[in-house]
Amino acid sequence: MNPQVTYKPSEEVDFVIVGSGAAGGILAKGLSTAGFKVVVLEQGKWIEPSDFSHDEITTFVEAQLTNNDKDQPQSFRKTPQDKPRKQQSIVYGRLVGGGSVHFTANFWRFHEIDFIERSRRGAIPGTGFADWPVTYAEMEPYYTQVEWEVGVSGLAGASPFDPPRSKPYPMPPLPVKSSGVIFERAAWKLGWHPYPAPMAILSEPYGGRAGCIHCGRCEAFGCEVGAKSSSLASVIPIAQQTGRCEVRTQSYAFQVKTNRHGRATGVAYFDKDRRRQFQKARAVVLSCNGAETPRLLLLSKSKHFPQGLANSSGLVGKHLMFNGYHEVFGTFDEPMNEYKSVAVTRVLHDFYEIDPKLGFYGGGGLDARFGTTPMGFALGSVPEGAPTWGKAYKTWLESFSRTMIVASHATSLPVETNSITLDADLKDAWGLPAMCTTYRDHPDDLSTVRYFRDRSLEILDAAKPQKIWTFPVQEQSFAVHLLGTCRMGNDAKTSVIDADHRTHDVPNLFLCDGSSFVTSGRGQPTMTIEALAFRAADRIAAAAKRGEV
Ligand SMILES: Cc1cc2nc3c(=O)[nH]c(=O)nc-3n(C[C@H](O)[C@H](O)[C@H](O)COP(=O)(O)OP(=O)(O)OC[C@H]3O[C@@H](n4cnc5c(N)ncnc54)[C@H](O)[C@@H]3O)c2cc1C
């Protein structure tokens, strides 16, 4: 842990931020460098980069970096009429830096259309499809700020579909891998426009941090050299250096307290010894992600806020979106050694908006990747009909180093019944109601994923591998992109926060993370989460300086 100031919980700080992930880390930096006293409550531990492990058992089975089923069990159901069953359907980073530490680091900007799609396309029955209260033009300087302050590699102007930008990337793209070369050549044959993937991974030393060493452990792992541009590696050290920001670890927030005037007074939490504590603050920011932020608001119900805090609209937890995802595998004759380096080096956005004449709404992107570990390949990627035992299985396993994936990333519509709620029966290890996820893909989302599966098959067909295989497109019941559950908007009846991330109901309570999204984008939401966080920090700091918080 870096040296930092410490505050007593009884001391009233300017801001308490709950969550130190993609958004929370940036808010901590923004508010502390603006001169405010900040306490960040983070339920996870501080893990030193040198302690990140490449071990698959610690990472996937023991959930070293993520929320785990033992302490924080969850339930899932497809519709509100179904009985929830115990199932871990939401996975996120549970450590200082949150998901930005262990994510794959694909880093796409939204395009102009993402913010105004409802106006362009019209209503979609059965959904809460809406425009954002901000436009791409307002977000552009903040996307640029993310690229330069957090550190993003890429090639400006390489995709003809890219939205306008005010500055190039601060560093060149990462070197292309075999999968990228194969994808690029096949896509060119089809007349499409592949380009170097923008990644939140340093392709060269930058800002005192090391460049990527191409170890091949990005997806689901932490980066021991700090080349992955997590909040832990980039913005949190700056916040701590201000001497005004304390990151308090193993501090699990369970209630935002309010007074009789309906203002937030601070946050109650369990400390590392499971003792109840209360951090006093003049204002509260929740950045717990698209699943835990609504859960904390629902846990914070009180006499004045009987439906949960900031929930006069009844929309806290609703309109949950995941992003569609699908993989098609190709095995080639020659070794590709895709287990090395970053997961993705080429992407294409030719189908960012699917032609509405096809009869369904959707859009997305394709990339060439292989982030799969040997264990994941052996247990999770076996095609139908392949041997699962003995010598034949062993021979099949050897195709690991000759295989690549074309992955689809797609829109997900905001359906009101898709939601995060509190489970009526299940409790976590602290005795709090567990999270219940209700989710069923909109039929257009499934059509969109099928559309992208077909484009992926076309690419691999054009690449002529030895073998192509895939899995059926199915309704999702597991997610890592957690979006839309406390949506932004100008109308307090149809949204939870305003365009400055202030809740409509509580004047000194702000929410900023994946929950703020109005629509899902086309995948890779974290760049937009971080751009929103830089913008929110500016707006909140300015309002506080004007005495309006
Ligand atoms: C394996 C994997 C790969 C991914 N790859 C990509 C990718 O390539 N590109 C992309 O854009 N996205 C990717 N994502 C998603 C990405 O990680 C998230 O979009 C992003 O981290 C969300 O940011 P956030 O600020 O909303 O929340 P988070 O980063 O999840 O941060 C929330 C923080 O709040 C803490 N917290 C939650 N509740 C409490 C509480 N009650 N008290 C105290 N602390 C609390 C959590 O521990 C966490 O640290 C991936 C995710 C996974 C799991």
Side-chain angles (χ1 to χ4, degrees), residues 187-321:
W188 281 334
K189 270 197 222 164
L190 295 164
W192 301 343
H193 301 84
Y195 69 100
M199 301 294 282
I201 296 177
L202 307 184
S203 57
E204 57 189 33
Y206 184 75
R209 291 163 44 206
C212 176
I213 56 165
H214 306 282
C215 73
R217 281 288 182 273
C218 301
E219 185 168 327
F221 296 89
C223 178
E224 60 266 49
V225 300
K228 195 192 284 184
S229 296
S230 64
S231 297
L232 178 65
S234 62
V235 281
I236 289 173
I238 302 172
Q240 290 171 313
Q241 277 158 21
T242 62
R244 286 184 285 274
C245 177
E246 175 188 354
V247 179
R248 201 173 294 158
T249 59
Q250 298 183 76
S251 300
Y252 177 30
F254 63 89
Q255 190 171 27
V256 179
K257 297 267 190 200
T258 47
N259 63 18
R260 63 194 166 86
H261 306 293
R263 288 180 60 84
T265 54
V267 176
Y269 66 97
F270 292 105
D271 68 14
K272 64 178 179 7
D273 301 315
R274 302 205 175 182
R275 285 181 312 222
R276 285 166 186 256
Q277 305 281 2
F278 175 66
Q279 177 61 52
K280 272 179 93 174
R282 294 170 63 196
V284 173
V285 183
L286 303 187
S287 296
C288 305
N289 73 40
E292 292 290 6
T293 287
R295 175 167 174 253
L296 182 51
L297 292 171
L298 296 173
L299 287 171
S300 301
K301 77 174 181 194
S302 63
K303 201 169 74 190
H304 292 296
F305 297 98
Q307 306 192 79
L309 196 54
N311 196 19
S312 63
S313 62
L315 291 179
V316 166
K318 296 189 175 162
H319 296 122
L320 174 65
M321 298 171 285

Side-chain angles (χ1 to χ4, degrees), residues 182-456:
I182 289 169
F183 178 88
E184 190 164 68
R185 288 182 184 161
W188 281 334
K189 270 197 222 164
L190 295 164
W192 301 343
H193 301 84
Y195 69 100
M199 301 294 282
I201 296 177
L202 307 184
S203 57
E204 57 189 33
Y206 184 75
R209 291 163 44 206
C212 176
I213 56 165
H214 306 282
C215 73
R217 281 288 182 273
C218 301
E219 185 168 327
F221 296 89
C223 178
E224 60 266 49
V225 300
K228 195 192 284 184
S229 296
S230 64
S231 297
L232 178 65
S234 62
V235 281
I236 289 173
I238 302 172
Q240 290 171 313
Q241 277 158 21
T242 62
R244 286 184 285 274
C245 177
E246 175 188 354
V247 179
R248 201 173 294 158
T249 59
Q250 298 183 76
S251 300
Y252 177 30
F254 63 89
Q255 190 171 27
V256 179
K257 297 267 190 200
T258 47
N259 63 18
R260 63 194 166 86
H261 306 293
R263 288 180 60 84
T265 54
V267 176
Y269 66 97
F270 292 105
D271 68 14
K272 64 178 179 7
D273 301 315
R274 302 205 175 182
R275 285 181 312 222
R276 285 166 186 256
Q277 305 281 2
F278 175 66
Q279 177 61 52
K280 272 179 93 174
R282 294 170 63 196
V284 173
V285 183
L286 303 187
S287 296
C288 305
N289 73 40
E292 292 290 6
T293 287
R295 175 167 174 253
L296 182 51
L297 292 171
L298 296 173
L299 287 171
S300 301
K301 77 174 181 194
S302 63
K303 201 169 74 190
H304 292 296
F305 297 98
Q307 306 192 79
L309 196 54
N311 196 19
S312 63
S313 62
L315 291 179
V316 166
K318 296 189 175 162
H319 296 122
L320 174 65
M321 298 171 285
F322 283 170
N323 284 135
Y325 183 74
H326 192 260
E327 294 179 336
V328 180
F329 295 74
T331 298
F332 291 79
D333 294 325
E334 303 295 329
M336 297 159 74
N337 300 330
E338 281 291 307
Y339 53 83
K340 290 186 182 169
S341 194
V342 300
V344 178
T345 58
R346 286 294 181 272
V347 51
L348 68 78
H349 277 156
D350 291 63
F351 310 101
Y352 206 80
E353 291 177 72
I354 297 175
D355 187 348
K357 289 196 204 86
L358 288 178
F360 56 90
Y361 158 82
L366 295 172
D367 67 39
R369 62 169 54 205
F370 199 75
T372 313
T373 60
M375 192 174 94
F377 188 74
L379 300 176
S381 305
V382 187
E384 208 179 294
T388 52
W389 190 251
K391 196 160 176 263
Y393 179 53
K394 221 174 130 193
T395 306
W396 179 80
L397 284 179
E398 280 160 11
S399 67
F400 176 74
S401 58
R402 292 184 284 112
T403 299
M404 64 171 276
I405 293 168
V406 175
S408 313
H409 309 269
T411 42
S412 176
L413 279 160
V415 175
E416 193 171 321
T417 47
N418 287 342
S419 63
I420 298 292
T421 51
L422 301 179
D423 191 284
D425 306 312
L426 197 61
K427 298 272 187 289
D428 72 9
W430 292 259
L432 303 174
M435 177 192 300
C436 172
T437 303
T438 305
Y439 197 88
R440 169 165 262 176
D441 287 294
H442 187 279
D444 285 15
D445 297 342
L446 294 170
S447 302
T448 301
V449 175
R450 280 188 211 102
Y451 176 91
F452 278 96
R453 175 203 54 197
D454 294 348
R455 304 290 82 72
S456 306

Side-chain angles (χ1 to χ4, degrees), residues 19 21-23 42-43 93 95 98-99 102 104-106 251 253 289 513-514 524-526:
E42 168 55 54
Q43 62 178 342
L95 74 164
H102 75 136
T104 317
N106 293 286
S251 300
N289 73 40
D513 53 26
Q524 324 308 0
T526 311

